[in-house]
Amino acid sequence: MVNESVYNELMKKYRAHYGRDPEVIAYAPGRIEVLGNHTDYNEGFVFSAAINYGTFFAASKSASKACRLVAGDLMKEVAFDVTGIEASKTDTWQNYVKGTLAGLAGVKAVPCGFDGLFLGNIPLGSGLSSSAALEMCTGLALGKLYGITVDDVTLAKIGQKAEHMYAGCKCGLLDQISSLAGQAGRLVKTDFRTVAYETVEMGEAACFLMCNTHAKHALVDGAYNTRREACEQAAAHFAKELRHPVTALRDVSMAEWAIYKRGLSDTVANRAAHPIGEDERVLKGAELLAKGDLPGFGLLMFDSHESSRVLFENSCEELDAVVDAAKKIPGVLGARLSGGGFGGSVVVLVHPRDAETASIALANAYAAKFGKPCDVSVIKPAAGAHIVK
Ligand code: GLA
């Protein structure tokens, strides 16, 4: 079983806290975003993968409408009622669970409360989507507990709504879909217009390193939302200028952007160029992967980061330093920021035989600049969310 030691600890803590075994347990992994940045809410394309770090959610029905929820790392309990699920300003981790519960309750009435506990090993705030993992394992576990069956896309949308309504981030569907759809050794390629996804073999010649800088810059969610607004403003402009229908930036090519951007501010035009270019890179990357051209795919990752840095301005000094260092390390094929940006992690594509030396070189290069190393871990594309018990 993946992350068996976390599972064993969860069981021990659940028994100690509630004095019985949980009726259901579900698991959901975090994700890396490999190519296609801020394209999901622009109805574009992304390569991502579920990772070998994740979160377990264990629950049993309670005898009333009362819910008890424990964050297993802190062993802190909060209580609320299924009949009045409201966002909380304290212990905000509960909001991801509450938002997901509210979404399930919108599908079918929830008959009673639950005694729940969750525990995982995804580093928080690292850009590996620990919050989506929590939503997806909550959704699977409580769905099973209450007999509420939903398909993957509906569950992903429930998680996304939890982020929008309960956490204030107007995210797309990438994190939730990746957590649900991942498969061992494979990338997930998603078209976010139709939310159709397929998995693509990664091959033995590739693995990923995740370099967590621990950088977290102010106004993270605010900056995410303003980037999204700029993209929507640009899409509305191109809808007026182009002669074919434009409902999202997905419908605009780089060539059209160059001709028809007049009338947009430089900033908004640059913001729009990022997801448009990313869509083209994902489609090109799919062709390269099909031919087994990992070095070519890696170069697209470097281009993606440069586009983030210059056009979308969602990078930062720490992430740039990792990518710059990666470019000089033998065996590294590509590197880019992963996820929302403004801090968090860089994902690095490397041949498995070079993973260890590249990890040491990256940590050292970072330490030379910032006084302490970034955390580097080897990431294996892993199975998606599932019921464990
Ligand atoms: C965050 C969001 C996703 C996606 C990425 C950027 O992870 O939650 O929906 O927009 O940023 O690609």
Side-chain angles (χ1 to χ4, degrees):
M1 177 200 285
V2 68
N3 293 315
E4 195 165 354
S5 59
V6 181
Y7 173 83
N8 291 338
E9 196 186 333
L10 169 106
M11 289 299 281
K12 212 163 110 198
K13 288 185 162 175
Y14 194 96
R15 285 178 189 135
H17 195 80
Y18 291 114
R20 58 171 165 159
D21 274 357
E23 284 170 51
V24 298
I25 303 167
Y27 170 80
R31 65 98 189 92
I32 47 171
E33 179 200 277
V34 178
L35 199 59
N37 184 245
H38 285 260
T39 51
D40 60 348
Y41 56 81
N42 290 303
E43 299 185 13
F45 305 95
V46 187
F47 271 118
S48 61
I51 62 173
N52 49 319
Y53 295 88
T55 306
F56 291 93
F57 190 100
S60 303
K61 285 183 187 144
S62 73
S64 65
K65 298 277 180 195
C67 301
R68 297 168 66 191
L69 175 67
V70 176
D73 52 345
L74 312 167
M75 283 314 284
K76 171 138 202 213
E77 181 178 307
V78 295
F80 51 92
D81 208 285
V82 276
T83 49
I85 312 163
E86 273 165 27
S88 172
K89 289 202 172 63
T90 54
D91 301 312
T92 48
W93 42 266
Q94 67 187 291
N95 291 333
Y96 302 106
V97 173
K98 284 177 161 174
T100 306
L101 174 64
L104 287 175
V107 175
K108 189 174 151 195
V110 168
C112 62
F114 65 82
D115 291 340
L117 186 149
F118 66 90
L119 187 67
N121 60 359
I122 306 170
L124 302 181
S126 60
L128 292 172
S129 293
S130 56
S131 61
L134 176 55
E135 291 146 18
M136 295 302 93
C137 65
T138 300
L140 286 182
L142 295 184
K144 172 107 177 136
L145 191 70
Y146 297 134
I148 304 173
T149 317
V150 289
D151 60 47
D152 276 2
V153 175
T154 306
L155 182 56
K157 286 183 175 167
I158 286 174
Q160 181 193 33
K161 195 165 171 197
E163 299 274 352
H164 287 206
M165 310 292 289
Y166 286 75
C169 182
K170 297 273 181 211
C171 65
L173 277 172
L174 167 69
D175 309 342
Q176 293 79 8
I177 288 289
S178 309
S179 178
L180 292 171
Q183 280 180 19
R186 298 176 78 85
L187 296 183
V188 181
K189 179 173 174 257
T190 310
D191 175 343
F192 281 97
R193 168 149 287 165
T194 56
V195 202
Y197 49 81
E198 58 181 321
T199 63
V200 180
E201 179 72 49
M202 218 17 229
E204 297 290 304
C207 77
F208 294 104
L209 304 176
M210 204 66 188
C211 305
N212 185 0
T213 64
H214 296 281
K216 191 169 169 62
H217 293 283
L219 298 172
V220 173
D221 290 349
Y224 182 98
N225 292 347
T226 54
R227 293 301 184 281
R228 183 171 179 155
E229 281 158 24
C231 290
E232 285 163 0
Q233 191 188 330
H237 165 85
F238 289 114
K240 277 192 254 140
E241 297 296 320
L242 297 182
R243 299 226 302 274
H244 62 79
V246 173
T247 54
L249 287 179
R250 144 74 170 272
D251 300 309
V252 183
S253 67
M254 270 326 288
E256 288 166 336
W257 172 87
I259 299 169
Y260 294 100
K261 68 179 175 169
R262 207 162 64 99
L264 288 176
S265 71
D266 287 348
T267 302
V268 172
N270 284 346
R271 300 294 186 254
H274 178 60
I276 295 172
E278 285 291 274
D279 276 343
E280 296 190 359
R281 280 184 279 278
V282 173
L283 297 178
K284 177 87 193 139
E287 285 171 20
L288 294 174
L289 270 190
K291 287 192 275 183
D293 183 354
L294 288 170
F297 189 89
L299 289 177
L300 293 173
M301 293 173 71
F302 283 130
D303 291 348
S304 167
H305 186 81
E306 197 56 11
S307 173
S308 270
R309 190 179 74 77
V310 178
L311 299 173
F312 213 61
E313 295 183 275
N314 63 332
S315 186
C316 62
E317 200 193 349
E318 293 87 346
L319 297 173
D320 293 344
V322 177
V323 174
D324 286 345
K327 283 180 180 161
K328 296 180 200 120
I329 295 171
V332 168
L333 301 172
R336 66 189 281 282
L337 69 82
S338 175
F342 315 104
S345 297
V346 168
V347 60
V348 178
L349 177 66
V350 69
H351 191 288
R353 71 166 172 250
D354 301 318
E356 201 182 326
T357 47
S359 299
I360 296 166
L362 283 164
N364 287 344
Y366 194 85
K369 189 158 173 141
F370 297 103
K372 56 177 176 27
C374 54
D375 287 339
V376 187
S377 18
V378 177
I379 296 287
K380 294 192 188 96
H386 53 269
I387 297 284
V388 178
K389 176 188 161 177

